[in-house]
Amino acid sequence: AKKDAYLAGSFGAEKINFVIANGISDKYLSSSWTPGTNIIFTTGCNAYYEKENASDKNSWRLPTKLEAESIMRLAAEELKKSGIKYGSYYWTADDHPVNFKNAYCLFINSDWSYKMEAKAKTSSYIARCVREK
């Protein structure tokens, strides 16, 4: 199945920033941004698809903090086999509640425990896309 260049290989062949991962305008990071005025682009999770006919394009997104934590708790063994890398940060869809220039990332420790950390949206981390069934 074809994958967007940013997400080629095993979801993390390349690291991308929050804006590209979400497919939103980089104006989102500026001080002049007004809530509700995002321009959506076809990058990152918005561009990702797995079906040959791309019918699932635009149905993928970053997981929320809660979803990322649930995946770690419920599916750690499967994740180890899937190419998820420990010692890496993975974007979530959740903004920091006070500093809108930060978003939460899931960090996976070498023992497969995890923690959430707020990171600058301009930093580059791995995007692991999810979608509704």
Side-chain angles (χ1 to χ4, degrees):
K2 186 175 187 233
K3 295 175 171 57
D4 177 80
Y6 290 114
L7 302 172
S10 62
F11 287 98
E14 293 185 43
K15 295 179 179 181
I16 57 179
N17 71 34
F18 183 82
V19 171
I20 293 171
N22 273 300
I24 56 177
S25 168
D26 60 359
K27 291 180 181 176
Y28 183 71
L29 298 178
S30 75
S31 58
S32 62
W33 175 74
T34 304
T37 61
N38 290 338
I39 300 170
I40 304 300
F41 294 101
T42 307
T43 62
C45 291
N46 283 336
Y48 181 78
Y49 60 91
E50 290 188 346
K51 295 182 180 178
E52 289 297 325
N53 66 1
S55 62
D56 59 333
K57 193 173 184 178
N58 294 316
S59 66
W60 295 84
R61 59 179 174 74
L62 290 176
T64 65
K65 279 175 45 179
L66 181 60
E67 289 169 331
E69 290 173 334
S70 294
I71 290 167
M72 286 301 298
R73 281 194 309 274
L74 300 173
E77 288 305 313
E78 289 83 9
L79 292 175
K80 291 176 188 178
K81 300 173 195 170
S82 73
I84 293 284
K85 300 174 185 174
Y86 67 80
S88 297
Y89 286 97
Y90 291 84
W91 286 116
T92 73
D94 291 333
D95 293 327
H96 188 274
V98 177
N99 184 349
F100 80 93
K101 291 190 177 194
N102 290 343
Y104 284 101
C105 286
L106 174 85
F107 181 80
I108 303 173
N109 296 301
S110 61
D111 65 358
W112 289 87
S113 62
Y114 62 90
K115 62 183 174 181
M116 285 289 171
E117 288 186 34
K119 295 290 185 181
K121 292 178 182 177
T122 53
S123 299
S124 292
Y125 299 112
I126 300 169
R128 178 76 187 213
C129 305
V130 298
R131 72 181 176 111
E132 306 303 321
K133 283 190 171 187

